[in-house]
Amino acid sequence: MSAVSADGSTRELPLQKEDFVRIADVWRKVMQVDACAGGQGRAPAALRVTGKLEQPEHYEPSVPRTIRSSDVKPATASVIPKAPALKSVDRLEAPTVRVTWEPAQGDPDQVLLMETKPFYNSEVGIWHPYTFQRNAPADATSMDRTLERDPGIPAEVRAHSYRMHAAKNAFASNLRDEKPVTIEP
Protein backbone atom coordinates (compact mmCIF):
# COMPACT_ATOMS: atom_id res chain seq x y z
CA MET A 1 0.00 0.00 0.00
CA SER A 2 1.46 3.35 -0.95
CA ALA A 3 0.22 6.83 -0.09
CA VAL A 4 0.34 9.67 -2.60
CA SER A 5 0.49 13.16 -1.09
CA ALA A 6 -1.03 16.28 -2.65
CA ASP A 7 2.46 17.33 -3.83
CA GLY A 8 2.88 14.02 -5.73
CA SER A 9 5.35 12.41 -3.32
CA THR A 10 4.81 8.72 -2.53
CA ARG A 11 5.48 6.74 0.66
CA GLU A 12 4.88 3.11 1.61
CA LEU A 13 2.41 2.35 4.38
CA PRO A 14 2.35 -0.92 6.35
CA LEU A 15 -0.83 -2.97 6.17
CA GLN A 16 -2.30 -3.32 9.67
CA LYS A 17 -5.18 -5.72 9.10
CA GLU A 18 -7.08 -7.38 6.28
CA ASP A 19 -10.11 -9.63 6.10
CA PHE A 20 -12.85 -10.76 3.76
CA VAL A 21 -16.17 -9.06 4.47
CA ARG A 22 -19.49 -9.71 2.76
CA ILE A 23 -21.04 -6.39 1.74
CA ALA A 24 -24.42 -6.57 -0.03
CA ASP A 25 -23.88 -10.34 -0.42
CA VAL A 26 -20.60 -9.85 -2.31
CA TRP A 27 -17.31 -10.93 -0.68
CA ARG A 28 -14.74 -8.14 -0.69
CA LYS A 29 -11.22 -8.07 0.68
CA VAL A 30 -10.99 -5.20 3.16
CA MET A 31 -7.59 -3.72 4.05
CA GLN A 32 -6.77 -1.18 6.72
CA VAL A 33 -3.72 1.03 6.95
CA ASP A 34 -2.77 3.94 9.14
CA ALA A 35 -2.79 6.69 6.52
CA CYS A 36 -0.54 8.92 8.64
CA ALA A 37 2.05 6.22 9.41
CA GLY A 38 5.75 6.76 8.96
CA GLY A 39 6.12 9.82 11.17
CA GLN A 40 4.41 12.14 8.70
CA GLY A 41 1.26 13.78 9.97
CA ARG A 42 -0.10 14.77 6.55
CA ALA A 43 -3.04 12.70 5.40
CA PRO A 44 -2.47 11.41 1.85
CA ALA A 45 -4.57 12.57 -1.08
CA ALA A 46 -4.77 9.03 -2.49
CA LEU A 47 -3.89 5.43 -1.67
CA ARG A 48 -2.66 2.83 -4.15
CA VAL A 49 -2.40 -0.93 -3.70
CA THR A 50 0.57 -2.68 -5.32
CA GLY A 51 0.69 -6.45 -5.67
CA LYS A 52 2.82 -9.08 -7.38
CA LEU A 53 1.68 -12.23 -9.17
CA GLU A 54 2.31 -15.23 -6.92
CA GLN A 55 3.30 -17.59 -9.76
CA PRO A 56 4.44 -15.43 -12.67
CA GLU A 57 5.98 -18.42 -14.48
CA HIS A 58 2.47 -19.72 -15.24
CA TYR A 59 1.28 -16.49 -16.90
CA GLU A 60 1.81 -15.03 -20.35
CA PRO A 61 5.00 -12.95 -20.59
CA SER A 62 2.93 -9.99 -21.80
CA VAL A 63 1.07 -9.84 -18.45
CA PRO A 64 2.78 -7.44 -16.03
CA ARG A 65 4.16 -9.16 -12.94
CA THR A 66 3.42 -6.15 -10.73
CA ILE A 67 -0.18 -5.00 -10.47
CA ARG A 68 -1.06 -1.48 -9.34
CA SER A 69 -4.56 -0.35 -8.49
CA SER A 70 -6.12 2.94 -9.46
CA ASP A 71 -5.91 5.68 -6.85
CA VAL A 72 -8.34 5.26 -3.96
CA LYS A 73 -9.38 8.22 -1.82
CA PRO A 74 -8.87 7.52 1.91
CA ALA A 75 -12.10 7.32 3.90
CA THR A 76 -12.75 9.87 6.62
CA ALA A 77 -13.35 8.46 10.09
CA SER A 78 -16.94 9.74 10.00
CA VAL A 79 -17.97 7.27 7.25
CA ILE A 80 -16.59 4.14 8.95
CA PRO A 81 -19.50 2.34 10.66
CA LYS A 82 -19.13 1.19 14.25
CA ALA A 83 -19.58 -2.52 14.90
CA PRO A 84 -21.85 -3.40 17.83
CA ALA A 85 -19.95 -4.45 20.95
CA LEU A 86 -20.21 -8.11 21.97
CA LYS A 87 -21.76 -8.45 25.43
CA SER A 88 -21.52 -12.18 26.14
CA VAL A 89 -21.38 -15.75 24.88
CA ASP A 90 -23.59 -17.85 27.18
CA ARG A 91 -23.99 -21.62 27.09
CA LEU A 92 -27.68 -22.59 26.73
CA GLU A 93 -27.01 -26.33 26.74
CA ALA A 94 -23.98 -28.50 25.98
CA PRO A 95 -23.87 -27.98 22.17
CA THR A 96 -25.49 -24.50 21.95
CA VAL A 97 -24.43 -20.96 22.89
CA ARG A 98 -26.23 -17.63 22.66
CA VAL A 99 -24.09 -14.75 21.38
CA THR A 100 -25.40 -11.38 22.60
CA TRP A 101 -24.34 -7.92 21.42
CA GLU A 102 -25.26 -4.27 21.91
CA PRO A 103 -27.85 -2.76 19.54
CA ALA A 104 -26.31 -1.45 16.31
CA GLN A 105 -25.72 2.32 16.20
CA GLY A 106 -25.87 4.55 13.12
CA ASP A 107 -28.28 2.40 11.07
CA PRO A 108 -25.71 0.16 9.27
CA ASP A 109 -26.69 -1.62 6.03
CA GLN A 110 -25.49 -4.94 7.46
CA VAL A 111 -24.61 -6.34 10.86
CA LEU A 112 -22.54 -9.52 10.71
CA LEU A 113 -21.70 -12.05 13.39
CA MET A 114 -18.25 -13.48 12.65
CA GLU A 115 -17.92 -17.06 13.90
CA THR A 116 -14.54 -18.81 13.85
CA LYS A 117 -14.86 -22.53 14.52
CA PRO A 118 -13.31 -25.86 13.47
CA PHE A 119 -14.10 -26.89 9.91
CA TYR A 120 -13.37 -30.29 8.39
CA ASN A 121 -11.57 -30.17 5.05
CA SER A 122 -12.40 -33.49 3.40
CA GLU A 123 -9.86 -32.96 0.58
CA VAL A 124 -6.89 -33.15 2.94
CA GLY A 125 -8.65 -34.81 5.89
CA ILE A 126 -7.93 -32.24 8.60
CA TRP A 127 -9.83 -29.93 10.96
CA HIS A 128 -8.76 -26.28 10.84
CA PRO A 129 -10.17 -22.94 12.05
CA TYR A 130 -12.51 -21.28 9.54
CA THR A 131 -14.44 -18.02 9.81
CA PHE A 132 -18.09 -17.90 8.82
CA GLN A 133 -20.13 -14.72 8.49
CA ARG A 134 -23.74 -14.76 9.65
CA ASN A 135 -26.09 -11.93 8.63
CA ALA A 136 -27.90 -10.62 11.70
CA PRO A 137 -31.34 -9.03 11.30
CA ALA A 138 -31.15 -5.26 11.76
CA ASP A 139 -33.02 -5.22 15.08
CA ALA A 140 -31.50 -8.42 16.53
CA THR A 141 -29.17 -8.37 19.54
CA SER A 142 -28.52 -12.11 19.88
CA MET A 143 -28.11 -15.30 17.88
CA ASP A 144 -27.95 -18.95 18.92
CA ARG A 145 -25.05 -20.94 17.50
CA THR A 146 -24.23 -24.67 17.57
CA LEU A 147 -20.75 -25.72 18.68
CA GLU A 148 -18.69 -28.24 16.73
CA ARG A 149 -18.16 -31.12 19.16
CA ASP A 150 -16.76 -33.90 16.96
CA PRO A 151 -14.31 -36.07 18.98
CA GLY A 152 -11.82 -35.95 16.11
CA ILE A 153 -11.21 -32.19 16.42
CA PRO A 154 -7.64 -31.58 17.67
CA ALA A 155 -7.38 -29.64 20.96
CA GLU A 156 -5.51 -26.72 19.34
CA VAL A 157 -8.42 -25.89 16.99
CA ARG A 158 -11.39 -26.75 19.25
CA ALA A 159 -12.10 -23.21 20.50
CA HIS A 160 -14.89 -21.14 18.93
CA SER A 161 -14.68 -17.34 18.82
CA TYR A 162 -17.16 -14.62 17.95
CA ARG A 163 -16.81 -10.99 16.89
CA MET A 164 -18.97 -8.39 15.12
CA HIS A 165 -18.71 -6.46 11.85
CA ALA A 166 -20.88 -3.70 10.45
CA ALA A 167 -21.08 -2.34 6.89
CA LYS A 168 -22.61 0.89 5.63
CA ASN A 169 -22.39 2.47 2.16
CA ALA A 170 -19.74 -0.14 1.17
CA PHE A 171 -17.50 0.69 4.14
CA ALA A 172 -16.68 -1.96 6.77
CA SER A 173 -16.21 -1.35 10.48
CA ASN A 174 -12.71 -0.94 11.87
CA LEU A 175 -11.15 -4.42 11.89
CA ARG A 176 -8.62 -3.35 14.53
CA ASP A 177 -11.46 -2.64 16.98
CA GLU A 178 -12.52 -6.30 17.00
CA LYS A 179 -12.43 -7.98 20.40
CA PRO A 180 -13.27 -11.69 19.90
CA VAL A 181 -14.99 -13.62 22.67
CA THR A 182 -13.81 -17.25 22.83
CA ILE A 183 -15.56 -20.32 24.23
CA GLU A 184 -14.51 -23.95 24.47
CA PRO A 185 -17.10 -26.48 23.19
Side-chain angles (χ1 to χ4, degrees), residues 90-167:
D90 302 308
R91 194 177 301 273
L92 300 180
E93 50 195 47
T96 308
V97 293
R98 176 166 292 154
V99 183
T100 308
W101 58 88
E102 299 284 341
Q105 303 295 315
D107 193 29
D109 300 329
Q110 280 184 306
V111 174
L112 300 160
L113 172 66
M114 310 296 291
E115 177 182 40
T116 301
K117 64 180 186 176
F119 179 75
Y120 187 72
N121 185 328
S122 58
E123 290 181 10
V124 291
I126 61 167
W127 287 90
H128 62 95
Y130 189 80
T131 300
F132 298 88
Q133 292 186 314
R134 313 290 181 199
N135 284 343
D139 56 349
T141 57
S142 69
M143 188 181 291
D144 293 353
R145 302 301 313 145
T146 302
L147 301 174
E148 294 291 338
R149 297 169 62 84
D150 188 292
I153 300 173
E156 63 271 11
V157 298
R158 287 185 66 79
H160 292 52
S161 66
Y162 301 90
R163 62 192 196 279
M164 301 300 293
H165 270 326

Side-chain angles (χ1 to χ4, degrees), residues 10-21:
T10 302
R11 59 192 160 110
E12 293 300 313
L13 297 175
L15 186 66
Q16 265 96 28
K17 180 103 181 186
E18 62 183 342
D19 200 356
F20 284 96
V21 178

Side-chain angles (χ1 to χ4, degrees), residues 60-108:
E60 288 292 320
S62 61
V63 176
R65 293 181 179 212
T66 301
I67 302 167
R68 290 180 178 82
S69 74
S70 304
D71 284 357
V72 179
K73 187 159 178 49
T76 59
S78 61
V79 304
I80 305 297
K82 186 154 181 60
L86 267 178
K87 286 169 54 176
S88 64
V89 178
D90 302 308
R91 194 177 301 273
L92 300 180
E93 50 195 47
T96 308
V97 293
R98 176 166 292 154
V99 183
T100 308
W101 58 88
E102 299 284 341
Q105 303 295 315
D107 193 29

